[in-house]
Amino acid sequence: MFEQLTQLVQQFGNESVVKNDAIPNEQNEAVMNEASSSILSGGGVDQLAGLFQGNNALDSSNPVVQKLTEQLTGNLGEKFGINSKTASSVAGNLIPQILGSLVNKAKDPNDN
């Protein structure tokens, strides 16, 4: 799962992080790594498993999505000095996309 998560972060991070002028290029990889670790450490197994039960991983009002988005927003500001507006935008784009794609992959019987 970690490898798939990392691939999804790289895929969606290209638009939200790499092409984002507000994030210094030298921080791109670290910011994307932070997104991965926020999902793994902040979601809790039970809460993340709950996303696989429904179709609400893309819903920004989902409590798990909100929690992870807020956690990543705070971490980006604290660890990388990214302003709150940019951090919120990056987290708000990345977290739902990554979780939604991860859930879809898990539910797809044709995807190993």
Side-chain angles (χ1 to χ4, degrees), residues 41-61:
S41 66
V45 176
D46 291 340
Q47 291 178 337
L48 287 177
L51 291 174
F52 293 93
Q53 305 298 319
N55 294 318
N56 58 355
L58 285 169
D59 185 356
S60 61
S61 66

Side-chain angles (χ1 to χ4, degrees), residues 19-77:
K19 293 182 179 178
N20 189 333
D21 292 336
I23 298 176
N25 288 337
E26 62 272 8
Q27 291 182 336
N28 288 345
E29 189 172 336
V31 167
M32 289 191 286
N33 288 339
E34 187 62 35
S36 294
S37 81
S38 289
I39 291 170
L40 290 173
S41 66
V45 176
D46 291 340
Q47 291 178 337
L48 287 177
L51 291 174
F52 293 93
Q53 305 298 319
N55 294 318
N56 58 355
L58 285 169
D59 185 356
S60 61
S61 66
N62 177 301
V64 175
V65 175
Q66 283 181 338
K67 176 185 174 191
L68 292 172
T69 300
E70 289 170 8
Q71 179 182 340
L72 180 57
T73 298
N75 288 350
L76 293 178

